[in-house]
Amino acid sequence: MPPASLPARTAFIERNTKETKIQVSLSLDGGALDLLPSSTHFPSTPSSSTSSLAHAASPLSLPHIPEQTEETHASQTSPSQQIWIWTGIGFLDHMLHALAKHAGWSLRLRSRGDLAIDDHHTTEDTLLALGAAFSTALGARTGLARFGTSHAPLDEALSRAVIDLSNRPFFVGVFGFQNEKIGTLSTQMIHHGLQSWSQAAGVTLHVDVLRGDNDHHRAESAFKALAGAVREACRRVEGREGEVVSTKGVL
């Protein structure tokens, strides 16, 4: 959590498209987060008539989404962080959980997408929404370290991530996955999802899986490396308050 003298870096984003409905609440410095608000797409107690109408009018899949007070496979609460994630794609939840945990974020996120079609729109739009929340929470990109780099191992796998809070979106990712899916997440959507996140976040990002035999390990080490790089780049630098870390004078 930031010192009381520093402003909180938080954001709440809703992204609604024909294919997906998404809510994101993010704090870059951890701490407490309010529950995501109820909405037309996320009613607190959905009725059978509401669900039937939505099912008839939309391709969105309508599985049960747990209450935010319920413990799930991608929820964790500690004195410094609150994390609760549900996208309907278990392995995506797992990766976003790892990203939030090791970046030091508090994150509440839920998605309702057209998973009856495939995982593309849900993954893409979830990462676009998370990237937009990141950029909004970051605010004026002043007084920050700006650059971050991190290596993260997971057993035999090793990944490197390098990030620049440049406000010039660009992504390069080399993952070397051997299989088409990890769980129900298409491996090609890991590349596309991080490309989408970089675009919405306004960052230059390079992620390379340097070695690894197991696709789960390769992916998880990549997200953990990204988390470490993000945490370093977002660090507030004492004595540089209000300064733009650029020879151009602007990011």
Side-chain angles (χ1 to χ4, degrees):
M1 296 176 61
S5 58
L6 295 175
R9 299 186 290 182
T10 61
F12 172 72
I13 294 288
E14 287 188 291
R15 178 181 173 86
N16 296 320
T17 72
K18 182 178 179 180
E19 296 89 6
T20 60
K21 315 300 178 186
I22 299 161
Q23 291 182 324
V24 181
S25 180
L26 172 66
S27 171
L28 298 181
D29 304 297
L33 287 176
D34 292 335
L35 296 179
L36 296 169
S38 299
S39 71
T40 303
H41 306 297
F42 298 100
S44 55
T45 53
S47 67
S48 58
S49 59
T50 300
S51 297
S52 298
L53 178 62
H55 183 72
S58 166
L60 301 188
S61 57
L62 293 170
H64 170 69
I65 295 179
E67 294 295 327
Q68 296 174 68
T69 52
E70 293 181 39
E71 289 294 318
T72 72
H73 59 272
S75 65
Q76 188 173 15
T77 300
S78 71
S80 63
Q81 288 177 279
Q82 293 182 350
I83 299 169
W84 190 93
I85 299 162
W86 189 273
T87 66
I89 305 171
F91 193 73
L92 179 60
D93 295 350
H94 183 39
M95 294 301 95
L96 296 180
H97 185 187
L99 173 59
K101 182 62 180 178
H102 297 289
W105 298 347
S106 284
L107 174 64
R108 290 187 180 276
L109 184 155
R110 58 185 172 186
S111 304
R112 189 184 293 284
D114 57 354
L115 295 177
I117 297 174
D118 65 10
D119 60 342
H120 186 106
H121 295 138
T122 301
T123 303
E124 178 182 54
D125 288 353
T126 295
L127 270 296
L128 285 171
L130 183 58
F134 175 85
S135 185
T136 300
L138 201 58
R141 302 186 184 206
T142 60
L144 304 175
R146 177 179 169 179
F147 302 100
T149 184
S150 177
H151 288 76
L154 180 55
D155 296 344
E156 87 295 346
L158 177 66
S159 295
R160 175 185 62 224
V162 183
I163 195 170
D164 175 8
L165 306 180
S166 59
N167 221 8
R168 295 191 304 279
F170 203 91
F171 176 66
V172 178
V174 178
F175 299 96
F177 295 124
Q178 301 175 49
N179 300 297
E180 292 184 359
K181 285 182 175 288
I182 309 174
T184 57
L185 178 63
S186 303
T187 49
Q188 67 176 348
M189 289 309 300
I190 292 175
H191 186 286
H192 185 63
L194 289 177
Q195 182 181 43
S196 299
W197 182 82
S198 301
Q199 175 186 331
V203 303
T204 301
L205 175 62
H206 292 248
V207 179
D208 296 275
V209 178
L210 303 176
R211 63 178 65 93
D213 300 322
N214 181 281
D215 281 352
H216 185 132
H217 291 174
R218 294 176 77 89
E220 188 169 345
S221 70
F223 274 83
K224 288 177 175 177
L226 171 58
V230 165
R231 190 166 191 163
E232 181 179 324
C234 293
R235 178 176 55 85
R236 288 157 157 153
V237 180
E238 187 175 356
R240 284 189 177 178
E241 295 83 357
E243 292 184 16
V244 178
V245 186
S246 171
T247 56
K248 294 180 173 64
V250 64
L251 289 175

